[in-house]
Amino acid sequence: MAAVNKATHPFDKSRLEALLNRRFFYAPAFEIYGGVAGLYDYGPPGSSLQANIIAEWRKHFIIQENMLELDTTCITPAPVFETSGHVARFADWMVKDSKTGDVLRADHLVGGVLEARLAGDKEARGLAALPVKEDDKKKKKKAAKSAAVKLDDALVKEYETTLAKLDNYSGPELGELCRKYTIHNPDTDNEVGEPQQFNLMFTSSIGPTGQHPGYLRPETAQGHFLNFSRLLEFNNGRVPFASAQIGRSFRNEISPRAGLLRVREFTMAEIEHFVDPEDKKHERFDEVRDVVLTLLNRHVQSAGSTQVTKMTIGEAVEKGVVANETLGYFIARIYLFLVKVGIDPARLRFRQHMSNEMAHYATDCWDAEIQNSYGWTECVGCADRAAYDLTVHSERTGHPLVVREALKEAVVTEKEVAEFNKKNLGKTFGKDSAAIQKAIDDESEENLLAIKAQLAQGATTIKVGEKEFKLTSDMVTIERKTFKQSIREFTPNVIEPSFGLGRIFYCLLEHSYWSREQDVERGVLSLPTLVAPTKVLIVPLSANKDFDPLVKNVSTKLRQAGVFSRVDDSNASIGKRYARNDELGTPFGVTLDFASVANGTMTLRERDTTDQLIGPIDKVIDTVTELVDGTIDWPEACRRLPAYDGKQAVE
Amino acid sequence: MAAVNKATHPFDKSRLEALLNRRFFYAPAFEIYGGVAGLYDYGPPGSSLQANIIAEWRKHFIIQENMLELDTTCITPAPVFETSGHVARFADWMVKDSKTGDVLRADHLVGGVLEARLAGDKEARGLAALPVKEDDKKKKKKAAKSAAVKLDDALVKEYETTLAKLDNYSGPELGELCRKYTIHNPDTDNEVGEPQQFNLMFTSSIGPTGQHPGYLRPETAQGHFLNFSRLLEFNNGRVPFASAQIGRSFRNEISPRAGLLRVREFTMAEIEHFVDPEDKKHERFDEVRDVVLTLLNRHVQSAGSTQVTKMTIGEAVEKGVVANETLGYFIARIYLFLVKVGIDPARLRFRQHMSNEMAHYATDCWDAEIQNSYGWTECVGCADRAAYDLTVHSERTGHPLVVREALKEAVVTEKEVAEFNKKNLGKTFGKDSAAIQKAIDDESEENLLAIKAQLAQGATTIKVGEKEFKLTSDMVTIERKTFKQSIREFTPNVIEPSFGLGRIFYCLLEHSYWSREQDVERGVLSLPTLVAPTKVLIVPLSANKDFDPLVKNVSTKLRQAGVFSRVDDSNASIGKRYARNDELGTPFGVTLDFASVANGTMTLRERDTTDQLIGPIDKVIDTVTELVDGTIDWPEACRRLPAYDGKQAVE
């Protein structure tokens, strides 16, 4: 086996971007109309990669955890988001250029300018500029160009602290920072105005009358909450259970410029796990207890640092770093999913939200952040929304969104209770009767016992307001009664893992990309076989008709084995065809040549090593099927089939 | 095997609807907020059924036909739909109630009222009313109630003819019909106004400035057309090829009232097959040539009839009933898909659009219509959009959307060409030179030959406007030259099969529903195993802990075999649990009881027959796996395993 050194060439984003565009993984939507910022279309390999990620997600979460799948609408009438708080609070802070009126996102502006100044400072001190975090490349470059200026040591420290807490500032605080640090629009060098809120939901109108305003959902979650009663019934009235939904959401971003990482329309996968607020243990927590995670908690960040800690999720829950088992269980499951689809675990951390940063509905939140050329990007959020959503919708609609749990043992209580003879009471006290009854009902247990004793003696006196009334046992008796409570009613809490699939998709492409040692132009996407768009490439040596029945035979057998293959029968050389499919991330290739016709053999090539093996056609098909199913790995395949060294015929 | 008689009870829509609602196949969205007409959420069994239909669609079309999958955005900037013609023409005709201002769809109003009158006429004549076609149940009932009136025979004929042509009327014609037949709003008996166009696209605005209007796509097709150049390149520059997309679309219907059949947001699956306009043959047509279809062509309908014809698609293409092989191929493939997922072929027909009915972009269109309790409903459209879309987008953007095809044999032509000596021409004729050159270039082949002959004699004379010029061979020569054209450039045509998945989903549920002979309350959904939400139900006899390891073992083995199962360990009796899962369409059930613990046996039940077999647990697992994979059928399973007759233990 050839050794693979994927790190020969430094990561070159422009080459990766060119590859993704050229091979149509994705491209700006409406490109021939000039495009629209933040809208992208996925082409054939991108659609297929995304579909495979989604299929694995469905298996990892919905099937393995027996979740209840939902598919709810994007169009949502306004009252739903008024209740959920999105109309009032689902907004970003924007600032306007004081002269041109251009609109910028306030936190991105502050972050971009300060990072550019720090980079300029590094340059002025003769140090290499660190990779910066801000996701606005264009802006950064501009600002950086004009700022190779050394800063005071104290100011450097201030900027760094500000950047670490950037997500925690309110709008007015961002405005204050712009004034304090003289932050202008880097495109024009004009001052910017006071930050204003801009709601991120797309608006529309439902029906022909124009009288029913609606929004496009910015998350799928509300569709789960509104169907809670039906879901609970489907689950035989019991919690915990989880609903899951994969679908489109929409956010009218202010000025999206970070490729797939900040878009206006995207596919999400969301889970709402409904759990008893008094019992957030998870029955399968033991299965993940030993998973080691990289954590960045809120205290560290609030202190202006980004120092991470490694620990098992078991330890994190035990120490209270992560609030409860259910939250911890999902954090670990998210980690396992991301690593399985190909995210580099060394570039994955879980960051806890700081208090001001949290969405209005959340009580605790951990983001799975994946490092990429734009910095650390939130790709999965895992929030404890507590009982917020079910409570507000229930209050607004009057529809109870609660669990009624039959208690295993009914709670039996005894207490003294007053029984009234209303007729006799009324006869004696007329309209005062009701007040008298209320006064007695409100008495403490102790007083009721005293009244009982007095009544046994003949009579008692009760004071209502200024008046006193004398009561006898033909008007009221006090008796000890037994009460049995067999139902407990509660609003469940919600743990919400929420996946931005496009962000995972993009980070995965960055983590998978490298260039061959001998030629930086020969890009490879080392996508795991599990998610690779095509599993096997079938390459006939040439367009010679003799190969046609073999090609048909191999592709039929692979289809029957459930292995997705494609034939490349173009005119290019075999080497070139393999190189093209390395760019598409196709993990295996088989070549049919004259030896196949004569001897019934076929070669098998592995993408990363470019190793080639040879064997009888059916044996190669069996081997590659097992490779794709994951029951064997490449070293095992190398033990089963001899290496192929007839370079002349295939490369 | 017990015989199954599914037709014991007449179809009862209200029972089916109650079942679908109770078991949360789907439900009105935002129900706790009072709901919004035309928006529905899918619950767990509905999501799963839909996902299975989509998975089969992907296999049947994308994989088996090697289509290029796409995933494009729903939000679309306005210029795209201005160009495509949707802004001007994607509209329905609505009428307003003259007093209340209520809005009604004009064709539905006319259809509903005339059908109600015909039903009333039938009643008055003492005949059973025929099932009516109109999809507005509520309106129908109202109108029907007030109209048990006998009509003139001639008027009955007129109404029937009008209804057969209903889809063909323009707005003004619908207005004329309202006046002619005194058609009022049946809810209020008020007159209605003149029909007005209402555009069915939802509008929105992109970005924070409010200056970029956009629409939610009403179909996915434009996303394919705008990416045509990239798709063509991905396909190595060759046609035919097809792109395919499964995704959400949105139509702001005027007053949707037909359940899942007319909704404002829906999942579509669309194929755009790009083909050479001069060659619409299909290379796999032979594979479908003998498929027999029920056809209703446009001539029959224009003559006011709905008489269908049965013929093979081969014959239909040969006779010109269906325009070409590619259109015919897709019609047959659509048929095969629908029958495979469970649509009753006896209730499926292909209806050709009449000329006024066709969408503005189509040149021919056949709808797959499925009969259900609302009438015959279009569930798949198969349109020939010709070169319309690529042409208009290309003209608007200046981006060529064409195929450049290398001709196998270059077309070689010879012709006489003038060669000028510009220096000499200029010296003699000055500013007239250009006009002289143009005049000669414009001459016919014949005249050029004459000029050539004259030049060979010494000189020629050419007339430009009023002037004459004398030319000699030092100013111009005529030579015979060879031209070779090796590229042909053309705009491909598009054949578009477009699937409304929700409509297929609903019709499938109607076609699958029946009640047990012994009890009309015991509803069954005989969904094909291929699409059934759950394949196998695992039923432990009771909550006895002895069954737990067996349940875990069986469910693990089924999961490993790729069979999706669910455990029902609720307290209900086994019979009741089976009945509940008959409602969910679960085709097979296995029961674990004390015999399982003692002897390692398990029973296997089939949903439709309620037959039960028994065998060793592993053998039952193998049998049910083969049943689910479709490699054996139930009669074969009955040959492999003995019948179970220990009624006492399981029902």
Side-chain angles (χ1 to χ4, degrees):
Chain A
M1 271 194 303
V4 184
N5 182 356
K6 295 185 181 174
T8 323
H9 305 286
F11 175 72
D12 183 334
K13 182 146 96 183
S14 60
R15 279 187 204 281
L16 171 62
E17 282 176 345
L19 183 162
L20 297 176
N21 194 281
R22 186 171 67 245
R23 307 315 305 275
F24 199 8
F25 273 82
Y26 64 92
F30 318 108
E31 202 175 18
I32 66 172
Y33 278 81
V36 176
L39 294 178
Y40 291 88
D41 291 341
Y42 288 60
S47 299
S48 186
L49 175 57
Q50 180 183 248
N52 293 341
I53 293 173
I54 288 174
E56 187 51 36
W57 193 91
R58 187 172 258 124
K59 207 164 129 189
H60 187 86
F61 290 103
I62 298 184
I63 294 182
Q64 287 183 15
E65 312 255 4
N66 242 320
M67 292 175 174
L68 305 185
E69 191 166 358
L70 272 180
D71 187 4
T72 71
T73 64
C74 300
I75 295 178
T76 306
V80 172
F81 287 121
E82 287 162 6
T83 307
S84 70
H86 285 80
V87 170
R89 291 190 294 266
F90 194 73
D92 276 340
W93 294 97
M94 64 176 186
V95 289
K96 276 194 181 165
D97 183 297
S98 57
K99 289 184 185 154
T100 65
D102 286 349
V103 172
L104 304 165
R105 211 175 117 169
D107 56 343
H108 290 184
L109 171 67
V110 172
V113 169
L114 296 191
E115 280 174 340
R117 288 184 191 168
L118 287 174
D121 171 73
K122 285 262 167 16
E123 217 177 309
R125 290 170 192 246
L127 303 164
L130 282 175
V132 287
K133 186 191 168 192
E134 167 59 18
D135 66 7
D136 186 342
K137 207 177 103 188
K138 204 165 130 200
K139 210 158 56 188
K140 218 161 50 196
K141 277 192 185 154
K142 277 222 178 200
K145 217 187 292 173
S146 58
V149 176
K150 188 174 177 302
L151 308 172
D152 276 358
D153 289 358
L155 194 57
V156 168
K157 185 75 203 136
E158 255 184 75
Y159 282 3
E160 284 170 353
T161 309
T162 303
L163 286 170
K165 293 195 284 187
L166 192 58
D167 292 332
N168 210 28
Y169 292 112
S170 66
E173 286 169 337
L174 289 166
E176 186 56 41
L177 288 170
C178 288
R179 284 189 295 276
K180 181 172 172 194
Y181 297 130
T182 328
I183 293 173
H184 293 173
N185 177 359
D187 292 337
T188 61
D189 204 33
N190 298 329
E191 283 183 27
V192 296
E194 270 308 293
Q196 293 175 314
Q197 280 202 311
F198 173 69
N199 195 292
L200 296 182
M201 291 192 293
F202 283 98
T203 55
S204 194
S205 169
I206 306 169
T209 61
Q211 287 161 6
H212 300 287
Y215 295 99
L216 294 180
R217 64 180 179 196
E219 56 169 24
T220 74
Q222 303 305 320
H224 303 235
F225 303 136
L226 298 186
N227 284 299
F228 173 73
S229 297
R230 287 180 178 279
L231 291 166
L232 180 67
E233 195 190 331
F234 195 86
N235 203 50
N236 296 326
R238 294 183 282 201
V239 288
F241 71 87
S243 54
Q245 178 166 204
I246 302 158
R248 274 304 152 88
S249 292
F250 304 83
R251 295 183 186 181
N252 198 6
E253 295 286 349
I254 291 170
S255 58
R257 297 189 207 173
L260 288 190
L261 298 186
R262 189 163 301 281
V263 292
R264 287 174 164 154
E265 179 177 339
F266 50 98
T267 303
M268 299 181 93
E270 286 194 311
I271 294 163
E272 307 297 335
H273 181 89
F274 298 94
V275 60
D276 186 338
E278 292 175 13
D279 178 12
K280 294 190 179 176
K281 288 204 169 303
H282 195 287
E283 66 167 351
R284 294 172 69 177
F285 187 71
D286 278 344
E287 295 174 27
V288 300
R289 186 180 293 277
D290 297 330
V291 173
V292 177
L293 301 172
T294 304
L295 303 176
L296 174 55
N297 74 45
R298 68 161 68 111
H299 308 299
V300 169
Q301 297 165 73
S302 298
S305 162
T306 55
Q307 184 62 48
V308 297
T309 320
K310 280 201 163 198
M311 61 174 85
T312 65
I313 191 67
E315 189 187 347
V317 170
E318 219 163 86
K319 289 191 173 159
V321 178
V322 168
N324 58 65
E325 274 193 4
T326 297
L327 195 59
Y329 178 76
F330 279 110
I331 289 173
R333 291 285 294 165
I334 290 164
Y335 173 87
L336 294 172
F337 170 75
L338 292 173
V339 172
K340 199 195 288 178
V341 298
I343 294 299
D344 179 357
R347 303 175 72 188
L348 170 57
R349 72 181 183 192
F350 286 84
R351 188 178 73 78
Q352 189 175 30
H353 278 208
M354 290 170 283
S355 49
N356 283 350
E357 176 190 359
M358 227 147 10
H360 61 270
Y361 45 73
T363 60
D364 191 9
C365 185
W366 288 82
D367 287 343
E369 293 190 333
I370 305 177
Q371 195 187 32
N372 61 83
S373 61
Y374 291 97
W376 285 94
T377 302
E378 172 203 349
C379 293
V380 187
C382 193
D384 187 337
R385 295 175 81 131
Y388 175 80
D389 304 273
L390 294 180
T391 305
V392 293
H393 287 303
S394 181
E395 281 169 1
R396 168 81 179 245
T397 63
H399 187 100
L401 299 173
V402 293
V403 175
R404 291 168 55 82
E405 186 188 53
L407 293 170
K408 271 179 201 150
E409 273 182 77
V411 176
V412 178
T413 44
E414 288 190 348
K415 62 179 180 184
E416 302 293 331
V417 178
E419 297 268 316
F420 299 96
N421 183 322
K422 290 185 186 172
K423 201 174 146 200
N424 290 349
L425 260 184
K427 232 189 296 183
T428 314
F429 303 115
K431 63 181 171 47
D432 287 325
S433 302
I436 293 166
Q437 288 181 45
K438 188 172 182 317
I440 294 175
D441 281 340
D442 289 348
E443 292 288 359
S444 68
E445 184 88 359
E446 194 176 276
N447 289 349
L448 286 175
L449 279 169
I451 292 169
K452 192 177 183 175
Q454 289 162 355
L455 285 170
Q457 306 282 324
T460 186
T461 310
I462 184 112
K463 205 174 168 183
V464 181
E466 297 301 303
K467 295 187 194 169
E468 276 199 357
F469 303 96
K470 187 179 172 194
L471 301 170
T472 52
S473 54
D474 62 332
M475 299 172 190
V476 61
T477 54
I478 308 292
E479 281 166 44
R480 190 152 195 87
K481 291 213 167 172
T482 302
F483 291 87
K484 207 168 141 184
Q485 194 201 346
S486 55
I487 297 284
R488 174 181 157 234
E489 195 175 277
F490 63 91
T491 302
N493 277 10
V494 176
I495 309 287
E496 178 193 76
S498 170
F499 295 70
L501 295 174
R503 291 182 172 189
I504 296 169
F505 172 99
Y506 177 76
C507 293
L508 172 59
L509 289 169
E510 276 206 7
H511 291 197
S512 303
Y513 176 73
W514 57 291
S515 298
R516 297 267 181 226
E517 194 171 356
Q518 66 271 31
D519 181 2
V520 69
E521 296 285 350
R522 285 193 57 186
V524 183
L525 286 177
S526 284
L527 296 168
T529 304
L530 184 72
V531 295
T534 303
K535 312 303 182 192
V536 179
L537 176 73
I538 302 172
V539 188
L541 179 65
S542 69
N544 191 313
K545 287 285 166 211
D546 291 349
F547 302 136
D548 289 357
L550 288 174
V551 168
K552 200 166 177 187
N553 175 35
V554 170
S555 76
T556 304
K557 281 187 176 158
L558 286 172
R559 186 163 61 232
Q560 282 163 354
V563 173
F564 186 63
S565 69
R566 283 210 182 250
V567 178
D568 186 345
D569 57 1
S570 66
N571 300 325
S573 73
I574 287 191
K576 193 156 186 188
R577 280 182 276 170
Y578 273 141
R580 263 192 335 216
N581 280 276
D582 289 345
E583 288 192 340
L584 293 172
T586 309
F588 304 105
V590 296
T591 306
L592 292 159
D593 55 17
F594 291 109
S596 311
V597 179
N599 314 327
T601 58
M602 180 161 75
T603 63
L604 171 62
R605 174 188 185 268
E606 196 272 338
R607 175 195 60 208
D608 296 355
T609 57
T610 72
D611 282 350
Q612 297 193 54
L613 310 176
I614 190 165
I617 289 178
D618 283 346
K619 191 165 179 195
V620 172
I621 288 175
D622 289 347
T623 306
V624 82
T625 301
E626 286 202 63
L627 284 165
V628 170
D629 289 347
T631 54
I632 64 169
D633 59 7
W634 184 247
E636 173 59 25
C638 293
R639 283 189 283 276
R640 291 194 187 176
L641 294 172
Y644 177 67
D645 48 16
K647 288 276 176 208
Q648 71 291 348
V650 290
E651 289 246 328
Chain B
M1 269 195 304
V4 185
N5 181 358
K6 295 185 183 174
T8 324
H9 304 288
F11 174 73
D12 184 334
K13 183 146 96 183
S14 61
R15 278 186 206 282
L16 171 62
E17 282 176 344
L19 184 163
L20 297 175
N21 194 282
R22 185 172 67 247
R23 307 316 304 275
F24 200 7
F25 273 81
Y26 63 93
F30 316 109
E31 202 176 15
I32 66 173
Y33 278 82
V36 176
L39 294 178
Y40 291 88
D41 291 342
Y42 288 60
S47 297
S48 187
L49 175 58
Q50 180 182 248
N52 293 340
I53 293 172
I54 288 174
E56 185 53 37
W57 193 91
R58 188 172 257 124
K59 207 164 130 191
H60 187 86
F61 290 104
I62 299 183
I63 295 182
Q64 287 183 12
E65 313 254 3
N66 241 318
M67 292 174 175
L68 305 184
E69 192 166 358
L70 272 180
D71 188 5
T72 71
T73 63
C74 300
I75 294 177
T76 307
V80 172
F81 287 122
E82 287 162 8
T83 306
S84 69
H86 285 80
V87 171
R89 290 190 295 267
F90 193 74
D92 277 340
W93 294 97
M94 65 177 185
V95 289
K96 274 194 182 165
D97 183 299
S98 56
K99 290 183 184 155
T100 65
D102 285 350
V103 172
L104 305 165
R105 209 176 119 172
D107 55 343
H108 289 184
L109 172 67
V110 171
V113 169
L114 296 192
E115 280 174 340
R117 287 182 192 170
L118 286 175
D121 171 72
K122 284 263 169 13
E123 215 177 312
R125 288 171 194 245
L127 303 165
L130 282 176
V132 287
K133 185 190 170 194
E134 168 59 20
D135 65 7
D136 185 340
K137 208 178 102 186
K138 206 165 131 198
K139 208 159 59 190
K140 219 159 53 195
K141 276 193 187 153
K142 276 223 181 203
K145 218 188 291 176
S146 59
V149 176
K150 187 172 177 302
L151 308 171
D152 276 358
D153 289 359
L155 193 58
V156 168
K157 186 74 203 135
E158 255 183 76
Y159 282 4
E160 284 170 353
T161 308
T162 304
L163 287 170
K165 293 196 286 189
L166 192 60
D167 291 334
N168 209 29
Y169 292 111
S170 67
E173 286 168 336
L174 289 166
E176 186 55 43
L177 288 171
C178 288
R179 283 189 296 276
K180 183 172 169 192
Y181 297 130
T182 328
I183 293 173
H184 293 174
N185 177 359
D187 291 337
T188 60
D189 204 33
N190 297 330
E191 283 184 27
V192 297
E194 269 307 293
Q196 293 176 313
Q197 281 203 309
F198 173 68
N199 195 292
L200 296 183
M201 290 192 294
F202 283 98
T203 56
S204 193
S205 169
I206 307 169
T209 62
Q211 287 161 7
H212 300 288
Y215 296 98
L216 294 179
R217 65 180 178 197
E219 54 169 26
T220 75
Q222 303 305 319
H224 303 235
F225 304 136
L226 298 185
N227 284 300
F228 173 73
S229 297
R230 286 181 179 278
L231 291 167
L232 180 68
E233 195 189 330
F234 195 86
N235 202 50
N236 295 325
R238 294 183 283 200
V239 287
F241 72 86
S243 54
Q245 177 166 203
I246 301 158
R248 276 298 154 91
S249 292
F250 304 83
R251 295 183 186 181
N252 198 4
E253 295 285 348
I254 292 170
S255 59
R257 297 190 206 170
L260 288 189
L261 298 186
R262 187 162 303 281
V263 292
R264 286 172 165 155
E265 179 175 339
F266 49 97
T267 302
M268 298 181 92
E270 286 195 310
I271 295 163
E272 308 295 336
H273 180 89
F274 298 94
V275 60
D276 186 339
E278 292 175 12
D279 178 12
K280 292 190 180 176
K281 288 206 169 303
H282 195 287
E283 66 168 353
R284 294 173 69 177
F285 188 71
D286 279 345
E287 295 176 26
V288 300
R289 186 179 292 281
D290 297 329
V291 173
V292 177
L293 300 172
T294 303
L295 302 177
L296 173 55
N297 75 44
R298 67 161 70 110
H299 307 299
V300 169
Q301 296 165 74
S302 298
S305 162
T306 54
Q307 183 61 48
V308 297
T309 321
K310 280 201 162 199
M311 61 174 86
T312 65
I313 191 65
E315 189 187 347
V317 169
E318 219 164 86
K319 288 190 172 161
V321 178
V322 169
N324 59 66
E325 274 192 5
T326 297
L327 196 58
Y329 178 76
F330 279 110
I331 289 173
R333 291 284 295 163
I334 290 164
Y335 172 88
L336 293 172
F337 169 75
L338 292 174
V339 172
K340 200 194 286 176
V341 297
I343 294 298
D344 178 358
R347 302 175 72 185
L348 170 57
R349 72 182 184 192
F350 286 85
R351 187 178 73 78
Q352 189 175 29
H353 278 207
M354 292 169 281
S355 48
N356 283 350
E357 175 191 1
M358 225 139 21
H360 62 270
Y361 45 72
T363 62
D364 192 9
C365 186
W366 288 82
D367 287 343
E369 292 189 332
I370 305 178
Q371 195 188 29
N372 61 81
S373 61
Y374 292 97
W376 286 93
T377 302
E378 172 201 350
C379 291
V380 188
C382 192
D384 186 337
R385 295 175 81 131
Y388 175 80
D389 304 272
L390 294 180
T391 306
V392 294
H393 287 303
S394 181
E395 281 169 2
R396 168 81 179 246
T397 62
H399 188 99
L401 299 173
V402 292
V403 175
R404 292 169 52 83
E405 185 189 54
L407 293 171
K408 271 179 201 150
E409 273 182 77
V411 177
V412 178
T413 44
E414 288 193 346
K415 60 179 182 183
E416 302 293 331
V417 177
E419 296 269 316
F420 300 97
N421 183 321
K422 290 185 186 173
K423 201 175 145 199
N424 290 349
L425 261 185
K427 230 188 302 181
T428 315
F429 301 116
K431 62 178 172 45
D432 288 324
S433 302
I436 293 167
Q437 287 182 46
K438 187 172 181 315
I440 295 175
D441 280 340
D442 288 349
E443 291 288 359
S444 67
E445 183 87 359
E446 194 177 274
N447 289 350
L448 286 175
L449 279 170
I451 292 168
K452 190 176 185 177
Q454 288 162 358
L455 285 169
Q457 306 282 324
T460 186
T461 310
I462 183 114
K463 202 172 168 185
V464 181
E466 296 303 301
K467 294 188 193 169
E468 274 199 356
F469 302 96
K470 189 180 170 193
L471 301 169
T472 51
S473 54
D474 61 334
M475 299 171 190
V476 62
T477 54
I478 308 293
E479 281 168 43
R480 189 151 196 88
K481 291 214 166 171
T482 302
F483 291 87
K484 209 168 138 183
Q485 195 202 345
S486 54
I487 297 284
R488 175 183 156 233
E489 196 176 277
F490 62 91
T491 302
N493 277 10
V494 176
I495 309 285
E496 177 193 77
S498 170
F499 295 70
L501 295 173
R503 290 181 172 189
I504 295 169
F505 172 98
Y506 178 75
C507 291
L508 172 59
L509 289 169
E510 275 206 8
H511 290 197
S512 303
Y513 176 72
W514 56 291
S515 298
R516 297 270 181 223
E517 196 171 353
Q518 66 272 30
D519 182 2
V520 69
E521 295 285 352
R522 285 193 57 186
V524 183
L525 286 177
S526 284
L527 295 167
T529 304
L530 184 72
V531 295
T534 304
K535 312 304 183 192
V536 179
L537 175 74
I538 302 172
V539 188
L541 179 66
S542 69
N544 192 312
K545 287 283 166 212
D546 290 349
F547 302 136
D548 289 358
L550 288 174
V551 167
K552 202 165 175 188
N553 174 36
V554 170
S555 79
T556 304
K557 282 187 175 157
L558 286 172
R559 185 163 63 233
Q560 282 163 354
V563 173
F564 185 64
S565 69
R566 282 210 184 251
V567 178
D568 185 346
D569 57 0
S570 66
N571 300 326
S573 73
I574 288 193
K576 193 156 186 189
R577 279 182 276 170
Y578 273 141
R580 262 191 338 214
N581 280 277
D582 290 344
E583 288 191 339
L584 292 173
T586 309
F588 304 106
V590 295
T591 306
L592 292 159
D593 54 18
F594 291 109
S596 311
V597 180
N599 314 326
T601 59
M602 179 161 74
T603 62
L604 171 61
R605 174 187 184 269
E606 196 272 339
R607 174 194 61 207
D608 296 354
T609 57
T610 70
D611 282 351
Q612 296 193 56
L613 309 177
I614 190 164
I617 289 178
D618 283 346
K619 192 167 180 194
V620 172
I621 289 175
D622 289 347
T623 305
V624 82
T625 301
E626 285 203 63
L627 283 166
V628 170
D629 290 347
T631 53
I632 64 168
D633 58 8
W634 184 247
E636 173 59 23
C638 293
R639 283 189 284 276
R640 292 194 186 176
L641 294 171
Y644 177 66
D645 48 17
K647 289 277 175 207
Q648 71 293 348
V650 289
E651 287 247 328

